[in-house]
């Protein structure tokens, strides 16, 4: 009986990713990216958000803000709405992995706080993002 319990605990330990295995050291500043005029979470972005959730599961005192950003094209009102949907969609992925909603706050900055300055597709691509910020 004790042997089965220990085997089960070892499996939880290894598969759960604790003690540094599969748990990132930090999530502050992590960023996911979006396609033009889209708030759809890509497979790559989902994997990044799962890493955030995994970190939060092992660090119960960590709360986050997800900042939704857009590129400079479009009106300020439209971009605030798009940034809001991007941040909310990212938050929902984290909720799906068992993180309580009161630990996650989603906000939109639209195009008001660009990650990169300038114009052109490379700059716009960098600004179509959501950024994870750890709340102190």
């Amino acid at each position: 009986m004790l042997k089965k319990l220990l085997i089960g605990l070892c499996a939880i330990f290894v598969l759960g990713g604790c003690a540094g295995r599969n748990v990132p050291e930090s999530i502050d500043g992590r960023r996911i990216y979006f396609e033009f005029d889209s708030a759809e979470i890509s497979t790559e972005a989902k994997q990044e958000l799962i890493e955030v959730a995994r970190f939060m599961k092992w660090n119960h005192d960590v709360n986050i803000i997800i900042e939704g950003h857009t590129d400079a094209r479009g009106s300020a009102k439209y971009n605030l709405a798009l940034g809001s949907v991007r941040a909310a969609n990212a938050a929902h992925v984290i909720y799906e992995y068992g993180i309580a909603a009161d630990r996650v706050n989603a906000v939109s900055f639209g195009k008001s706080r660009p990650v990169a300055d300038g114009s052109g597709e490379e700059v716009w691509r960098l600004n179509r993002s959501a950024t994870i910020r750890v709340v102190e």
Side-chain angles (χ1 to χ4, degrees):
M1 180 70 160
L2 180 60
K3 184 176 178 182
K4 285 184 180 181
L5 177 62
L6 289 174
I7 290 171
L9 289 174
C10 287
I12 291 169
F13 182 82
V14 171
L15 295 176
C18 57
R21 280 185 66 118
N22 300 322
V23 177
E25 289 185 28
S26 175
I27 56 172
D28 191 49
R30 288 207 172 195
R31 188 170 284 122
I32 62 169
Y33 297 95
F34 297 88
E35 295 297 321
F36 173 71
D37 199 31
S38 174
E40 183 178 331
I41 303 292
S42 69
T43 302
E44 183 178 291
K46 187 171 186 174
Q47 290 304 311
E48 188 71 24
L49 293 167
I50 291 169
E51 291 296 313
V52 169
R54 184 175 288 136
F55 180 90
M56 292 179 76
K57 278 187 177 190
W58 290 102
N59 295 277
H60 300 282
D61 59 332
V62 171
N63 297 320
I64 63 170
I65 295 173
I66 302 174
E67 302 173 345
H69 300 278
T70 65
D71 64 35
R73 298 171 289 179
S75 71
K77 185 176 180 178
Y78 175 81
N79 282 323
L80 275 174
L82 180 57
S84 180
V85 175
R86 286 175 174 171
N89 286 353
H92 283 285
V93 172
I94 293 171
Y95 303 151
E96 288 173 359
Y97 285 86
I99 302 303
D102 65 349
R103 295 180 62 198
V104 180
N105 188 18
V107 299
S108 176
F109 291 116
K111 63 182 180 178
S112 68
R113 292 191 186 177
V115 174
D117 292 323
S119 62
E121 187 51 43
E122 184 57 27
V123 170
W124 294 331
R125 185 190 70 75
L126 292 172
N127 288 324
R128 293 190 304 259
S129 64
T131 305
I132 307 298
R133 298 286 179 210
V134 173
V135 179
E136 296 295 327

